Amino acid sequence: METAPLKAFATSARTELIREVSARVTAVLSQGSPERVEQPSAVAALERTIAAAGGGEKGKSQTVDKVAYTWFNRIIALRFMDANGYTGVGVVSPGEGQIGQPEILAAAKRGQIDPEVVKGVNSATITGLLSGTRQPRPGVDAQTEAYSLLLADYCRYWNKAMPFMFEREGDYTELLIPGNLLAEDSVLSRSVQVMSEEVCQDVEIIGWLYQFYISERKDEVFAGFKKNKKAGADEIPAATQLFTPHWIVRYLIENSVGRLWMLNHPESRLVERMDYYIAPVDEEDDFLKLDSPEELTVIDPACGSGHMLTYAFDLLYAIYEEEGYTPSQIPGLILKNNLFGTEIDPRAGALAAFAMTMKAAARRKLSLKNPVAPNICVVEALSFRADEIDVLTAEQGDDLTTQAFWNQFEHADTLGSLIRPDVSQTMFIKAALERTNAENDIIYSGSVERARRLIRQAEILSSQYTVVVANPPYMGSKQMNALLSQFMKDNCPNSKSDLFAGFIERCLDLASSRGYVAMITMQSWMFLSSYEKLRTSLIAHQRIASMLHLGTRAFDSIGGEVVSSTAFVLEKHSSHREQPGEFVRLVEGGSEAEKSAMLTDALVTRSTDDGYYLASGGNFAAIPGKPIVYWLSEKMRDSFSTGNPLSEVANLRQGLATADNNRFLRQWWEVASNRIAFACTSREEAAASGARWFPYNKGGEFRKWYGNQEHVVNWERDGAEIVDFKPRSVIRNPGTYFSPSVSWSDISSGEAAFRRYPQGFIHDSTGHSGFGDPTMLDQVTLLLNSKFVMEIMKVVAPTLHFHIGYVGLVPVHEGIRALSTDTVGSLIETAQDDWDSAETSWRFETNALVDLKSSTGTDLD
């Protein structure tokens, strides 16, 4: 699908709708406005909404943003329905073969107004406006006012089938219909151009439009993150939404929903339509047994606009069809029994429910006449006062343990599906509500209605499902507000570093025993030490059935090397954890298309040459930190158990942090040479030398074997000035100062580079160093610069940092003592000659070109 026109339309539509809705709010709330007289209750509801959002300009701005968003959803929904013939008449679209104004307006001009849709006095009002016998409101032309009335009535009409998308009569949003919808370049007109009938054959367009509509808001939120702002409830949806590429959705659904069905029905021809299905390597007989398609329940706990669920609908339809269900039954059965979704953004939730309804309508148009409500739950913030709880629990006695239950969703607009309701209390309270008479109480009838919404949320989030699928929100702990940060620390200690990791654990809670969890997330949980406890738990209690290691550029909508991701399917079955899973390495692919093609090739050849690997939880458990390094050969994995960590072979230490390098450091040529002591062997010798400056190992650029010797540090009188600079300065491991070492830089954009330093250097906190006898250091340097260790470093140090703790995990075998130091000596000597050939070396003697002239007698001019 070509998305560039969709993005241009959605982003400009947001700007236009906000402007138009803002103008309508100002007009409606002005003293003496016609709306205050004609629809006082709707105006009052608008004023309450603005007040609840903070009042003043802030409250107005937030309300305008939400109403503009709401009308965008309605316009694109109606256009999608028009394009597919579901509305019967063009509500926002011209008639077939026509251009210009919407078909319902053209029909009304001819006196054709559907009495099933336009009821009461509105029909006469519209006729009067179009015939010129009735004057429009001040500042509005007659056609625009007539169309606004028609549009409001059609929205009310579709409210019966889709209340999540279209307002009921009297809703204040109908007061705020944008005033320029009939303009030639209006949002309405452009929706028809961009959302062609061809494009609208795929409901995926709804998800793309949603992502693009919020893209500018997302940019605003991320700009705030750069200024150390935290994400509040209003910012979380925009900051965390990302539309999943369709081929990845197919992989996730086919290898969870499809896999479970194929295990139960190995004769099924469903496999023929699953292009991204990874068939099990070995025959499996211990799996979740299903007696009917109705038992295959799927939830997306962060469903966004419903992309995952719409493809699940397609696959489930094929399953029902194969089992002999009639086409008239299937759509309703899927919506009722199989698919569930939760979302914290009401507009996204409305689009998800709409997408599901459109999926059903595409299979059976009559489903819009007798619709089955999709199981999409917008998890809303709900709380109850003590008196409300007393009334609502009157039928169950004085059990005060339910107090926490009633207010568990108080911050649901921030915490969403991470909330874990107690299933027994949910059932208990539900039964009590069925017996209550409070709904007949004028004061507490609203409380009962809110309580029922709470129970629905709690039921969905306390149930378990055969498959849980998600592209969860991504948000690091630094961006979390105080409430979310504390919740993660208290409830997700193993995954508190990022929201997506918390959702991995939450999705496993939602999955039934032997069920599947299919997700796409950032890849950081596979490697980083901050997720080691999460990995340990996953390896112990689950099995990675399959994984696509995507790396960067898995989302064409995100340019460059921004997000590194992985898609995977977990089987919630601890007894299978030693059974190998299938892994496909796609990190080299430069786009969605390249990665998809690479996957197709790998599934055909099942060869490591094409990135296909087998690995089990036991393979990972044997490696320090338990990283998910599926590509390691058996010999490399074994090296961790047969060798000793480098930290036990060499004395690895961090060094000095001056806290003010501009004050204490110089490049060696900036100071007098007679004030530098180049070859001290100990702190005592350095103190006695009377020198002020001493060679300083500060790490530096990528350079193997030798080099990066250009700084000196003020260590006069055993570092007296730096000692006086405490506590800002940190003097680590001074006993290693001036000793020979093997060293490396803390940060590298590529692989690590290890160098030998002779005696006489003080090492910096970023010039990590290892100490020991000189022969062993030569042998260790040779090992560390080997191809073997370069591969090991990808396992133990997966980021740009080569922290001393990571390097200390490198396995070293006893055979290292047999390595000849002649080779490393030659390599160091070559690297030293290269370093000393530059004038920035304090051992520089003459330029190589001058030497060449002297030795050949040639004039190089």
Side-chain angles (χ1 to χ4, degrees):
M1 182 178 293
E2 176 58 47
T3 59
L6 301 180
K7 183 174 184 178
F9 164 63
T11 53
S12 63
R14 178 174 182 262
T15 301
E16 180 180 324
L17 288 171
I18 288 175
R19 183 185 66 242
E20 292 296 322
V21 170
S22 180
R24 287 294 301 142
V25 170
T26 300
V28 167
L29 296 183
S30 64
Q31 293 302 316
S33 70
E35 291 82 5
R36 286 190 179 276
V37 176
E38 297 166 4
Q39 300 182 63
S41 60
V43 173
L46 173 58
E47 290 175 325
R48 287 195 299 271
T49 300
I50 292 174
E57 285 302 313
K58 176 185 176 184
K60 177 185 173 183
S61 176
Q62 288 193 14
T63 303
V64 165
D65 186 67
K66 290 179 180 179
V67 174
Y69 199 161
T70 298
W71 275 113
F72 178 76
N73 281 4
R74 290 172 183 167
I75 290 168
I76 65 172
L78 287 167
R79 171 54 193 162
F80 186 91
M81 294 167 68
D82 284 351
N84 284 283
Y86 300 150
T87 51
V89 60
V91 179
V92 300
S93 314
E96 187 173 354
Q98 303 295 312
I99 58 173
Q101 59 192 211
E103 187 177 7
I104 57 171
L105 179 59
K109 288 180 177 181
R110 299 190 299 268
Q112 299 171 355
I113 298 176
D114 190 341
E116 290 296 315
V117 178
V118 183
K119 298 179 179 180
V121 299
N122 271 6
S123 181
T125 302
I126 292 166
T127 301
L129 286 166
L130 296 177
S131 65
T133 60
R134 182 185 178 94
Q135 292 300 308
R137 291 171 296 161
V140 181
D141 68 85
Q143 285 196 82
T144 298
E145 185 167 344
Y147 181 66
S148 294
L149 292 171
L150 284 166
L151 182 59
D153 276 329
Y154 272 87
C155 285
R156 293 180 198 138
Y157 174 78
W158 285 109
N159 168 264
K160 295 189 290 288
M162 291 172 277
F164 44 81
M165 181 64 72
F166 301 105
E167 81 271 14
R168 64 192 184 280
E169 184 173 1
D171 188 282
Y172 71 79
T173 58
E174 67 185 37
L175 301 177
L176 307 178
I177 295 176
N180 70 335
L181 291 182
L182 297 181
E184 185 176 345
D185 61 344
S186 69
V187 173
L188 209 69
S189 174
R190 282 180 286 132
S191 73
V192 176
Q193 297 168 16
V194 173
M195 298 176 66
S196 65
E197 290 186 10
E198 181 183 357
V199 170
C200 288
Q201 294 307 300
D202 190 346
V203 77
E204 181 181 327
I205 187 178
I206 299 298
W208 281 116
L209 286 170
Y210 167 63
Q211 171 160 314
F212 293 140
Y213 184 88
I214 66 171
S215 61
E216 289 185 347
R217 176 62 175 146
K218 185 172 186 174
D219 292 342
E220 293 168 7
V221 174
F222 273 84
F225 288 163
K226 292 179 180 179
K227 298 176 182 177
N228 295 319
K229 292 183 179 179
K230 306 299 183 182
D234 289 335
E235 287 84 19
I236 289 174
T240 59
Q241 293 289 354
L242 184 61
F243 192 70
T244 314
H246 189 64
W247 74 276
I248 296 176
V249 172
R250 290 193 61 180
Y251 158 75
L252 294 172
I253 299 297
E254 290 172 7
N255 288 282
S256 54
V257 177
R259 182 188 180 96
L260 198 49
W261 188 254
M262 291 303 303
L263 289 173
N264 279 272
H265 299 81
E267 78 291 347
S268 172
R269 298 186 65 180
L270 185 70
V271 69
E272 296 174 7
R273 61 177 293 149
M274 297 194 298
D275 296 338
Y276 300 99
Y277 178 59
I278 303 177
V281 176
D282 301 314
E283 185 176 340
E284 298 182 16
D285 54 17
D286 185 12
F287 50 82
L288 181 62
K289 303 300 191 290
L290 301 173
D291 294 325
S292 69
E294 287 95 328
E295 296 177 14
L296 220 173
T297 55
V298 183
I299 188 171
D300 183 343
C303 68
S305 57
H307 191 192
M308 301 276 196
L309 297 176
T310 57
Y311 184 66
F313 183 102
D314 291 338
L315 207 60
L316 286 162
Y317 193 96
I319 290 171
Y320 274 101
E321 206 170 33
E322 190 175 73
E323 288 296 287
Y325 288 73
T326 63
S328 61
Q329 291 177 291
I330 298 173
L333 288 172
I334 293 174
L335 295 187
K336 179 182 178 182
N337 299 308
N338 298 105
L339 297 179
F340 300 81
T342 59
E343 173 60 44
I344 61 171
D345 182 352
R347 277 77 57 190
L351 289 176
F354 175 76
M356 301 301 298
T357 304
M358 293 301 100
K359 275 292 183 182
R363 298 289 185 171
R364 185 171 184 263
K365 285 188 179 181
L366 286 176
S367 64
L368 291 174
K369 297 292 184 182
N370 299 294
V372 175
N375 290 307
I376 302 296
C377 177
V378 175
V379 184
E380 61 179 315
L382 294 169
S383 60
F384 295 82
R385 303 186 308 271
D387 61 304
E388 290 179 299
I389 297 173
D390 289 342
V391 171
L392 293 169
T393 58
E395 296 296 324
Q396 69 184 48
D398 297 326
D399 186 1
L400 297 180
T401 61
T402 60
Q403 292 273 350
F405 176 90
W406 287 103
N407 289 313
Q408 64 186 314
F409 290 106
E410 181 178 3
H411 303 293
D413 52 352
T414 295
L415 305 177
S417 301
L418 293 176
I419 297 169
R420 295 174 168 87
D422 182 274
V423 63
S424 60
Q425 281 206 335
T426 300
M427 296 173 64
F428 184 63
I429 298 297
K430 182 179 180 181
L433 272 180
E434 291 173 353
R435 300 191 301 270
T436 187
N437 293 317
E439 60 188 341
N440 298 320
D441 189 314
I442 294 178
I443 297 175
Y444 292 106
S445 59
S447 303
V448 175
E449 193 274 331
R450 286 190 296 115
R452 287 183 175 142
R453 299 207 306 270
L454 179 143
I455 291 299
R456 180 172 182 255
Q457 293 180 179
E459 281 186 307
I460 288 180
L461 291 177
S462 61
S463 299
Q464 288 192 309
Y465 303 84
T466 52
V467 172
V468 184
V469 60
N471 179 357
Y474 306 171
M475 181 180 290
S477 56
K478 291 182 180 179
Q479 285 79 48
M480 297 178 190
N481 61 34
L483 172 69
L484 181 56
S485 178
Q486 192 60 51
F487 179 91
M488 293 291 289
K489 291 173 184 175
D490 294 341
N491 296 276
C492 310
N494 293 348
S495 54
K496 62 187 177 183
S497 298
D498 200 288
L499 207 49
F500 82 79
F503 266 88
I504 293 177
E505 292 191 299
R506 183 66 179 108
C507 287
L508 287 165
D509 288 341
L510 289 166
S512 58
S513 177
R514 302 184 184 184
Y516 286 93
V517 170
M519 303 180 73
I520 175 170
T521 70
M522 294 175 70
Q523 70 175 31
S524 49
W525 70 269
M526 298 169 60
F527 310 114
L528 298 189
S529 59
S530 53
Y531 298 107
E532 181 177 347
K533 291 181 179 178
L534 173 62
R535 289 193 297 273
T536 300
S537 176
L538 290 180
I539 291 169
H541 302 107
Q542 274 74 228
R543 168 183 170 236
I544 303 177
S546 68
M547 175 181 283
L548 306 185
H549 187 187
L550 301 166
T552 58
R553 301 184 185 275
F555 296 80
D556 287 349
S557 58
I558 304 177
E561 308 272 327
V562 178
V563 175
S564 294
S565 55
T566 182
F568 55 92
V569 178
L570 301 174
E571 182 186 11
K572 192 176 177 179
H573 197 338
S574 58
S575 63
H576 281 184
R577 62 183 181 272
E578 292 304 317
Q579 190 171 330
E582 297 170 87
F583 297 78
V584 184
R585 187 172 179 84
L586 305 175
V587 296
E588 299 303 322
S591 66
E592 292 176 17
E594 285 186 24
K595 292 178 189 293
S596 176
M598 290 170 66
L599 173 60
T600 301
D601 291 342
L603 295 184
V604 172
T605 65
R606 301 213 170 199
S607 163
T608 56
D609 291 339
D610 289 314
Y612 177 87
Y613 300 86
L614 295 175
S616 70
N619 297 146
F620 308 137
I623 301 171
K626 302 177 178 59
I628 311 302
V629 284
Y630 55 87
W631 64 85
L632 277 192
S633 67
E634 185 176 355
K635 286 185 177 180
M636 292 193 76
R637 287 196 297 263
D638 289 345
S639 69
F640 286 98
S641 55
T642 58
N644 295 315
L646 177 62
S647 59
E648 296 180 7
V649 176
N651 180 24
L652 305 184
R653 290 291 180 263
Q654 279 187 304
L656 173 66
T658 70
D660 190 347
N661 284 346
N662 288 333
R663 175 180 172 184
F664 296 111
L665 261 59
R666 296 288 185 273
Q667 290 180 305
W668 68 268
W669 57 83
E670 295 179 312
V671 300
S673 59
N674 61 1
R675 296 286 283 147
I676 305 174
F678 282 106
C680 294
T681 59
S682 67
R683 288 172 62 192
E684 292 75 17
E685 183 181 342
S689 70
R692 180 179 180 84
W693 302 99
F694 299 85
Y696 194 61
N697 170 9
K698 197 176 179 293
E701 65 182 10
F702 180 89
R703 193 170 184 88
K704 290 184 178 182
W705 309 113
Y706 189 93
N708 293 349
Q709 300 179 15
E710 55 189 348
H711 290 93
V712 289
V713 63
N714 176 0
W715 194 253
E716 188 175 16
R717 294 180 291 112
D718 203 29
E721 288 189 40
I722 295 178
V723 171
D724 289 343
F725 203 52
K726 288 182 177 182
R728 290 182 61 187
S729 63
V730 181
I731 301 173
R732 299 184 184 92
N733 305 300
T736 60
Y737 295 178
F738 302 104
S739 301
S741 67
V742 55
S743 186
W744 65 96
S745 302
D746 178 63
I747 297 177
S748 173
S749 58
E751 62 185 33
F754 297 87
R755 298 173 290 279
R756 279 287 270 115
Y757 280 81
Q759 63 189 17
F761 283 79
I762 295 174
H763 57 110
D764 184 85
S765 59
T766 58
H768 301 314
S769 300
F771 302 89
D773 71 76
T775 299
M776 183 271 289
L777 290 179
D778 284 345
Q779 293 165 332
V780 165
T781 305
L782 191 62
L783 172 69
L784 291 176
N785 279 326
S786 68
K787 185 176 180 180
F788 165 76
V789 169
M790 291 304 105
E791 290 301 312
I792 291 293
M793 293 298 286
K794 294 176 184 177
V795 175
V796 298
T799 68
L800 300 179
H801 283 271
F802 295 93
H803 188 272
I804 205 164
Y806 297 154
V807 177
L809 297 174
V810 170
V812 181
H813 293 258
E814 283 297 323
I816 191 176
R817 288 294 187 178
L819 290 176
S820 170
T821 59
D822 293 341
T823 301
V824 71
S826 175
L827 291 166
I828 292 172
E829 183 178 348
T830 300
Q832 182 174 351
D833 288 344
D834 177 66
W835 177 259
D836 290 343
S837 68
E839 294 180 6
T840 51
S841 169
W842 54 64
R843 295 182 181 84
F844 173 80
E845 293 180 355
T846 183
N847 187 284
L849 293 176
V850 175
D851 273 349
L852 180 61
K853 178 180 179 181
S854 300
S855 62
T856 62
T858 303
D859 188 348
L860 298 179
D861 292 336

